[in-house]
Amino acid sequence: MESVTIEIAAAPGNEIRVLHYPEISSENRLVTKGIAVLRQHAPRVLRYLSLQRLLGRLPFHPIDVRVHGLPEAEVRSRLAAWMRRKRLRRLFYVVLELLLMPFTAFVAVLPGPNVVFYGLFVLFYFHFKAFLSLSRIRVEDLKISLIQS
């Protein structure tokens, strides 16, 4: 499994940034082709979906945490608060997307593929998987290694 690098700032803002994480991939040929199209035309969308997938699979990755003089207990408590905020935000996104999905039916009457519904459903899927995973994760069970800087 590829490792994930997270940086925790020592400043009062306690900003946590995910610096390095694996890009989304698939064994399915059609999905791989779609990922290649995203990589070429919408790399920011691909990075966002990769980050959502990472949040859904966080316990399966070793995590390298760059910190500035913080003890491991403090790092774990900050990560727990960060994951709690991420979980609440994903819950908000899931509820909002569920409310918006019925309105995409009106777009379905237009000729061509219903890209609005497909895009909304993909976002819903990744947000929902991330929410479920973040609800089950215990910070004590994560494989964290500290990198002091």
Side-chain angles (χ1 to χ4, degrees), residues 86-96 127 131:
K86 291 287 185 185
R87 186 180 69 232
L88 288 173
R89 186 172 293 165
R90 296 309 168 273
L91 176 62
F92 173 74
Y93 291 159
V94 165
V95 170
L96 182 66
H127 287 150
F131 170 74

Side-chain angles (χ1 to χ4, degrees), residues 17-88:
R17 295 183 320 162
V18 181
L19 301 176
H20 175 73
Y21 50 92
E23 187 176 87
I24 194 170
S25 62
S26 176
E27 299 291 326
N28 187 317
R29 193 183 81 197
L30 187 61
V31 174
T32 303
K33 188 174 181 178
I35 291 171
V37 168
L38 278 178
R39 187 177 297 116
Q40 183 179 7
H41 297 291
R44 291 177 65 182
V45 173
L46 182 63
R47 281 194 304 268
Y48 182 76
L49 292 177
S50 297
L51 183 60
Q52 296 308 309
R53 183 162 189 252
L54 168 71
L55 291 175
R57 301 181 50 80
L58 201 58
F60 303 112
H61 294 279
I63 302 170
D64 299 327
V65 180
R66 289 186 189 171
V67 294
H68 304 284
L70 295 174
E72 185 174 346
E74 178 68 20
V75 168
R76 288 190 183 271
S77 69
R78 286 188 185 188
L79 279 176
W82 177 73
M83 286 193 297
R84 202 170 25 255
R85 285 192 310 271
K86 291 287 185 185
R87 186 180 69 232
L88 288 173

